[in-house]
Amino acid sequence: MAVHDVKPRPVVSKKDALVREMLERVADKWTLLVIDALEGKRDVRFSRLREAVGDVSQKMLTKTLRQLERDGLISRRVHAEVPPRVEYTLTPLGDSLGAAVCGMWKWVDAHVEDVERSRRKYDAPAQR
Amino acid sequence: MAVHDVKPRPVVSKKDALVREMLERVADKWTLLVIDALEGKRDVRFSRLREAVGDVSQKMLTKTLRQLERDGLISRRVHAEVPPRVEYTLTPLGDSLGAAVCGMWKWVDAHVEDVERSRRKYDAPAQR
DNA sequence: CAGCATCCGACATGATACTG
DNA sequence: CAGTATCATGTCGGATGCTG
């Protein structure tokens, strides 16, 4: 064994790392929008998805979809046709993640005002 | 009126933007760890916080704390002493956010295995 | 002690061009 | 149509040095 074993810091724990990783995932620019666009639907084509999500670049959409697929949150089905057709569907796991995110959504929904008021106050040009 | 009104894209909505923003916030490298470190405690000093969080740089910890303060999630109290003392405490709002994040936490807790299995499968060197 | 200013490299994102 | 490859750019985060 070599230098690899020297762990200068606890790194919290493996699971903690995954929690943060998943949080990062759902928080990144497109993931949530993609999940949202897939929720309740089946076999959505790449181009439809791109329209639904908004102005996502093709590159970023592809990347996002690959990550979601790797994590088992969506399924990707390629049809061997001559204009290629690829369809995406949320897996049950992905569906459940969508539900979990709902908690955050509700929190924001309930507290937008609080946050915005606090920000205005904080940003206020130091009066007097 | 003027050019301001030309919205080239729906941008989902103002609230949606805030939802993503809050998600980004809790997902960034340190926020969650800071909230975690503050949960259930009161008046935690900067240096204690830094120890608790781990190997966060002073710059990033400061930045994180400022954001949280601006959003009204933590309170910052400066004591006019000669070795400066600054103490941070979660506000009720911050506390409630911590609770909301729990949903995500639980989801990950419940599905780490699923995700990791999926990844192993995805990453598996195309057998055969 | 707590925080700010600066420099710098790593990475994420976007635009563009090309392909099965 | 649904990608992949390449290049340009912007931002993030870390390291360092200075200060009230």
Side-chain angles (χ1 to χ4, degrees):
Chain A
M1 40 210 72
V3 283
H4 298 69
D5 296 319
V6 210
K7 277 269 183 60
R9 34 163 172 154
V11 183
V12 213
S13 93
K14 189 180 174 186
K15 187 171 288 182
D16 283 17
L18 188 60
V19 170
R20 254 255 311 287
E21 206 183 316
M22 290 310 301
L23 278 171
E24 279 168 20
R25 184 117 325 154
V26 300
D28 78 23
K29 217 169 177 184
W30 306 114
T31 301
L32 248 188
L33 298 184
V34 169
I35 291 181
D36 221 54
L38 285 177
E39 225 147 39
K41 297 175 185 173
R42 296 187 51 78
D43 303 320
V44 184
R45 296 187 65 160
F46 185 88
S47 36
R48 292 275 150 270
L49 213 40
R50 198 170 171 192
E51 291 168 16
V53 167
D55 64 337
V56 62
S57 72
Q58 173 274 340
K59 174 183 169 182
M60 279 303 104
L61 181 54
T62 297
K63 185 183 171 185
T64 303
L65 290 169
R66 287 294 179 284
Q67 289 174 337
L68 290 172
E69 188 195 358
R70 189 171 102 100
D71 290 348
L73 302 172
I74 61 173
S75 71
R76 174 173 181 268
R77 293 177 35 191
V78 185
H79 297 258
E81 299 174 359
V82 88
R85 191 172 89 227
V86 183
E87 294 172 330
Y88 297 90
T89 304
L90 228 48
T91 63
L93 190 61
D95 225 28
S96 73
L97 176 57
V101 173
C102 258
M104 281 294 305
W105 195 284
K106 282 179 190 161
W107 184 90
V108 176
D109 202 48
H111 300 290
V112 218
E113 279 312 321
D114 297 324
V115 171
E116 295 195 323
R117 191 179 317 116
S118 175
R119 286 183 183 179
R120 277 194 300 274
K121 192 176 171 186
Y122 187 94
D123 294 339
Q127 63 267 52
R128 157 192 10 257
Chain B
M1 314 233 159
V3 283
H4 297 70
D5 296 319
V6 212
K7 279 270 183 60
R9 32 162 175 155
V11 180
V12 214
S13 93
K14 189 181 175 185
K15 185 170 289 181
D16 283 18
L18 188 60
V19 170
R20 254 255 310 287
E21 206 183 315
M22 290 310 302
L23 278 171
E24 277 167 21
R25 184 118 322 153
V26 302
D28 77 23
K29 216 168 176 183
W30 306 114
T31 300
L32 208 56
L33 298 184
V34 169
I35 291 180
D36 221 53
L38 287 176
E39 226 148 37
K41 297 175 183 172
R42 296 187 51 78
D43 303 321
V44 184
R45 296 189 62 161
F46 186 88
S47 36
R48 291 275 152 271
L49 212 40
R50 197 170 170 190
E51 290 168 20
V53 168
D55 65 337
V56 63
S57 71
Q58 171 275 333
K59 174 185 170 179
M60 280 303 104
L61 182 53
T62 298
K63 185 184 172 184
T64 303
L65 290 168
R66 287 294 179 283
Q67 290 174 337
L68 290 171
E69 188 195 358
R70 188 170 103 98
D71 290 349
L73 302 172
I74 62 174
S75 71
R76 175 175 181 266
R77 291 177 35 189
V78 185
H79 297 260
E81 298 175 1
V82 88
R85 193 172 88 228
V86 183
E87 295 172 330
Y88 296 90
T89 304
L90 228 47
T91 63
L93 190 62
D95 226 28
S96 72
L97 176 58
V101 173
C102 259
M104 281 294 305
W105 196 283
K106 282 179 192 162
W107 184 90
V108 174
D109 202 47
H111 300 290
V112 218
E113 279 313 321
D114 296 324
V115 171
E116 295 195 323
R117 191 178 319 117
S118 175
R119 286 184 183 178
R120 277 194 300 274
K121 192 176 172 188
Y122 187 95
D123 294 339
Q127 62 267 49
R128 159 196 9 255

